[in-house]
Amino acid sequence: MNIMRQFHLGIIFDCLGLPFEAGMKKCASLGADGVQLYAVEGEMAPENLTSAQISEKRHIIHELGLEVSALCGDLGGHGFAIREENDRKIEKSKHIVELALELGCHIVTTHIGVVPADPACDTYKVMQEACNRLAEFAYKNNARFAIETGPEPADRLKAFLDSLSSKGVAVNFDPANLVMVTDDDPVQAVYTLRDYIVHTHAKDGVMLKKTDPRVIYDFFAEGGIGDLRMSDYFLETPLGQGKVDFDRYLKALRDIDYKGYLTIEREVGSDPAADIQLAVKFLKEKIILVSH
């Protein structure tokens, strides 16, 4: 896969809905270099794994020529916006970092909540305090907590990251979230966040109806309580069928010398494996074009 050398090709393992070994074999057969694994609950949660089980899973991954691009450590709810929840969430997040390191990975992706526009408000300060604690732990262990883009514009996220005391909190760049929810230009956002991007999701979509991103993310945070229908607001699509301009987006990643993962995420659709296979083909073709 020499054409992928600047970018590594990843797949979010859980999108396939397969048992561990069968899913890893499928990822390898689809042409992945690595996988992102959900590690909050279920089989891959740190508290559910013994050292022997971690070793066995690491062996399966490596025998197939794969690596772990990132763990997903998104704890749900309002992220780190509620002070009373943060001690528990930070402790859980630290265990996910430790698991990542045991799997040979240094990135844990997460949502932290919606960064407020007013840096003087209490919620902003609560999120700063929590992220400083996460950043210091991660940086000390040569790891990064990577905040997924989408809940706020890129310039606001950059200002928040600039305000932290450590570089241990970084960015998991999802261009589709910016298109579908925030109405922010993902190409310009790459340049804005260039110093922080350590992982990306390859995802596409369209905005159907503009609203305050807090409405969308609060809806998810509260478990879908309310009468909103997400299908009224945005639509996730296979790569190339949405509004992410992948030619310009991939060029921007090359311009900032990003050399990490493009990790395919397909959260909906009747046949995610087929969509992922198409996404692999799409990305390979785009990367060849951008390379020339």
Side-chain angles (χ1 to χ4, degrees):
M1 298 175 67
N2 291 333
I3 61 171
M4 299 296 294
R5 276 312 92 202
Q6 171 157 8
F7 303 124
H8 299 283
L9 181 62
I11 293 172
I12 295 186
F13 170 83
D14 299 85
C15 291
L16 293 169
L18 294 171
F20 189 87
E21 187 165 4
M24 288 299 164
K25 288 179 178 177
K26 184 66 174 178
C27 288
S29 73
L30 289 169
D33 297 306
V35 293
Q36 181 177 4
L37 294 157
Y38 181 71
V40 173
E41 56 188 26
E43 182 180 9
M44 288 302 300
E47 64 272 18
N48 294 335
L49 288 165
T50 65
S51 294
Q53 288 170 326
I54 294 170
S55 179
E56 178 186 9
K57 292 181 185 301
R58 187 172 61 233
H59 177 76
I60 291 169
I61 292 167
H62 291 171
E63 280 293 295
L64 290 165
L66 299 170
E67 65 178 350
V68 179
S69 70
L71 292 186
C72 177
D74 184 357
L75 302 180
H78 292 274
F80 296 94
I82 300 174
R83 187 187 302 276
E84 293 74 22
E85 297 178 355
N86 283 350
D87 284 346
R88 172 183 60 81
K89 288 187 170 183
I90 289 168
E91 193 63 25
K92 171 85 170 180
S93 296
K94 289 178 179 180
H95 290 313
I96 296 173
V97 168
E98 291 165 347
L99 173 60
L101 295 171
E102 289 191 76
L103 291 168
C105 168
H106 297 268
I107 298 169
V108 173
T109 68
T110 190
H111 281 278
I112 63 166
V114 181
V115 176
D118 179 8
C121 75
D122 288 342
T123 300
Y124 197 100
K125 294 173 183 176
V126 168
M127 293 172 72
Q128 268 183 323
E129 178 187 323
C131 286
N132 275 329
R133 291 167 63 186
L134 290 171
E136 288 163 11
F137 179 83
Y139 197 75
K140 180 176 67 176
N141 288 284
N142 191 30
R144 298 291 183 274
F145 280 101
I147 301 170
E148 187 163 328
T149 53
E152 60 282 308
D155 58 352
R156 190 190 307 170
L157 177 57
K158 180 183 183 298
F160 179 81
L161 291 166
D162 288 345
S163 78
L164 300 180
S165 59
S166 163
K167 297 296 184 183
V169 169
V171 167
N172 174 44
F173 197 98
D174 188 315
N177 289 348
L178 293 170
V179 165
M180 294 189 300
V181 181
T182 319
D183 196 25
D184 201 11
D185 177 10
V187 175
Q188 181 55 50
V190 168
Y191 297 112
T192 300
L193 295 166
R194 62 186 303 155
D195 294 333
Y196 292 103
I197 300 170
V198 296
H199 191 264
T200 77
H201 282 165
K203 193 168 78 180
D204 205 352
V206 295
M207 175 184 283
L208 303 175
K209 179 180 175 182
K210 189 169 181 177
T211 189
D212 186 336
R214 289 178 301 175
V215 173
I216 302 296
Y217 283 96
D218 284 353
F219 179 79
F220 286 124
E222 291 158 14
I225 297 171
D227 58 0
L228 265 68
R229 292 186 305 175
M230 292 298 99
S231 58
D232 291 340
Y233 292 90
F234 61 84
L235 175 68
E236 185 196 324
T237 69
L239 296 193
Q241 297 181 30
K243 292 297 185 181
V244 176
D245 185 335
F246 275 91
D247 292 320
R248 293 176 60 238
Y249 172 60
L250 292 172
K251 181 182 182 300
L253 289 175
R254 290 179 68 88
D255 286 348
I256 69 166
D257 203 29
Y258 173 74
K259 291 184 170 68
Y261 269 87
L262 305 172
T263 297
I264 296 164
E265 180 177 16
R266 185 65 174 137
E267 296 183 306
V268 297
S270 59
D271 192 349
D275 285 345
I276 289 169
Q277 191 160 25
L278 289 172
V280 170
K281 181 175 183 292
F282 175 86
L283 287 174
K284 287 183 177 180
E285 290 173 352
K286 285 295 180 188
I287 289 165
I288 291 172
L289 290 172
V290 171
S291 298
H292 291 80

